[in-house]
Amino acid sequence: ADNILVVFDASGSMLEPFGGSNRIEIAKSALTDLLTSLDPSIKVALRPFADIKRSTQAEACNQTELAIPFTTDHMAVKAKVDSLQAVGSYTGTAYALRQAKNDFVVGQDNALILLTDGKETCGGDTAAAAAELLAAGIKVKTYVIGIDLDAAARAELSAVAVKGGGKYFDATDGTSLASSLKSIQAAEKPIDRTNT
């Protein structure tokens, strides 16, 4: 991919224990490893959701923003990832995916990595949102890494990856989370256009 957008779940459940720490800290660590190993020509963007506590459910379900637009400054993305706090009361995954449609560069190869630890809790249709992204004419595949999920959440998020034209990865500990990110990196490795 020319561009990789990370959609990062910062809901309160990301504070649950995981791999000797908690879910959000392990996710940050694995994402940092990915950022330091990426080809410097790849542009990365960051869209967290549920990262700011809101007073009403409607506001909480619509809490997302493009925190870092596409950039080759991977350390700027890392710094923003490090600052994220898991504070959201609801998980508005479908809304975040729909908002992400406006983040991408048309005509380039794009990938979206969704890092989340749970099901949609705002009534949105996550699989439909992923399908809309795929059909939007922006050449994007949606990969999903489910962190410490139960069976129902795993089924929902697997459908997101299928409808988004990507792949689902199950992270049961820090090692498998890091391995999942590396697998996505390998799948999206840029072609050496000087030797084709």
Side-chain angles (χ1 to χ4, degrees), residues 68-85:
I68 302 284
F70 284 110
T71 178
T72 55
D73 186 353
H74 299 164
M75 290 304 98
V77 181
K78 175 188 176 301
K80 184 61 181 179
V81 167
D82 287 344
S83 73
L84 293 176
Q85 301 295 316

Side-chain angles (χ1 to χ4, degrees), residues 26-47:
I26 296 295
K28 286 180 182 181
S29 177
L31 190 51
T32 293
D33 288 345
L34 173 70
L35 290 168
T36 56
S37 66
L38 278 179
D39 185 297
S41 68
I42 295 176
K43 292 181 179 178
V44 182
L46 176 68
R47 174 176 282 279

Side-chain angles (χ1 to χ4, degrees), residues 158-174:
S158 294
V160 171
V162 170
K163 294 290 186 180
K167 187 175 179 181
Y168 173 80
F169 297 88
D170 204 27
T172 55
D173 53 32

